[in-house]
Amino acid sequence: MKFILASNNAHKVEEITAMLGGKIELSTMRDAGLDMEIEENGTTFEENAMIKAMAVWNATKKPSIADDSGLEVDALGGAPGIYSARYAGEDATDAQRMAKLLGELEGVPDERRTARFVCCIACVIDENTSFTLRGTCEGVIGYEPRGQYGFGYDPLFIFPERGLTMSEILPGEKNEISHRADGCRKLHDELLRRGLID
C-alpha cells in the first residue's frame, strides 16, 4: 500500500519504512508534488499529527501518515511536550534546549526525574477512516549530556535498566527500542488488523 508522509525528511521515510518491515511504500510530500507549510496548532501530539496527515490527505486524496514527537518530563508537568523543538526558542540548538531542560530540573532528585519520549502517528486512509497511535519510551533525565549518537534530548535521556543514554546506544538498536519504533509497531499491527497490509 502507498502512503505519503507529511514530511520532506527522506531519512524519516527510510526509518519508518524499515520499521514497518517494508510492508508499505512511503513517499515524501516533495515526491508527491506538494509544496506547502502546515501549521501545527494543536494542543496535543495526537492533534498535531492528525493536522499534518489530514492536510496531506486533503491536498492529494491519497493515504497519508504523519508523526509528532517530543519529550515529556514528569517533574515539569509533561513539559516540554509538544514544544520540545521550540523549548529554548525557535532557533535554539540542541545544546541550548538541553541546557534549559537541565536548568529547569536543577535540584530535582533522581526519583523525580522520570520522563518519556512520545511519538504519535496519525494515519488517514480515506474520508471515513483515520486514527492515531501513541508510541512511548520510558526513562529518566540525567545530569549532563552523554554519548555520540542521536540528536535532540537523546544525550540526557537514560534507560535506567541499562545506565546508558539514548545517545550511547547504537543507532540500529535505538531503532528497535525508541518511541518511534513503538509507534511503528502499533501502526503495523493496526494496518494488519484492518487488512491494509499482509
Side-chain angles (χ1 to χ4, degrees):
M1 187 166 181
K2 295 183 178 180
F3 288 88
I4 301 168
L5 181 68
S7 169
N8 282 316
N9 186 331
H11 174 68
K12 192 180 277 192
V13 166
E14 289 173 17
E15 194 176 66
I16 293 174
T17 302
M19 288 176 179
L20 288 171
K23 294 287 181 73
I24 67 168
E25 195 177 313
L26 202 54
S27 58
T28 63
M29 289 167 59
R30 193 177 294 114
D31 293 337
L34 293 179
D35 179 21
M36 61 187 197
E37 289 289 323
I38 302 171
E39 185 183 356
E40 299 173 42
N41 53 13
T43 59
T44 64
F45 292 117
E46 283 85 357
E47 284 179 9
N48 280 334
M50 188 55 76
I51 285 168
K52 290 185 278 190
M54 197 59 79
V56 168
W57 189 85
N58 283 331
T60 64
K61 297 298 186 273
K62 293 178 179 174
S64 63
I65 291 173
D67 78 320
D68 196 53
S69 55
L71 177 70
E72 292 182 341
V73 180
D74 294 322
L76 301 179
I82 61 170
Y83 304 108
S84 292
R86 308 185 294 278
Y87 193 44
E90 287 291 340
D91 300 314
T93 63
D94 284 349
Q96 288 169 325
R97 282 188 282 271
M98 286 191 288
K100 178 174 171 62
L101 183 63
L102 288 174
E104 298 276 351
L105 288 173
E106 196 167 335
V108 176
D110 290 0
E111 66 273 13
R112 292 192 53 234
R113 297 174 81 91
T114 51
R116 73 205 46 79
F117 276 121
V118 175
C119 174
C120 284
I121 297 176
C123 184
V124 180
I125 306 297
D126 55 40
E127 64 268 28
N128 300 313
T129 312
S130 63
F131 55 86
T132 61
L133 303 157
R134 174 176 281 232
T136 58
C137 179
E138 298 287 334
V140 298
I141 302 301
Y143 292 87
E144 61 183 9
R146 293 187 346 229
Q148 64 192 62
Y149 308 109
F151 57 91
Y153 299 96
D154 288 358
L156 291 178
F157 188 87
I158 299 171
F159 294 98
E161 65 277 9
R162 303 177 67 172
L164 297 174
T165 70
M166 188 81 92
S167 284
E168 292 174 308
I169 292 172
L170 291 171
E173 192 178 352
K174 175 188 171 182
N175 287 348
E176 294 175 5
I177 61 176
S178 72
H179 48 308
R180 183 167 288 130
D182 187 38
C184 284
R185 274 191 293 272
K186 290 173 179 172
L187 175 61
H188 174 275
D189 292 349
E190 185 63 20
L191 293 174
L192 194 62
R193 189 183 72 78
R194 291 171 182 263
L196 298 170
I197 59 173
D198 53 30

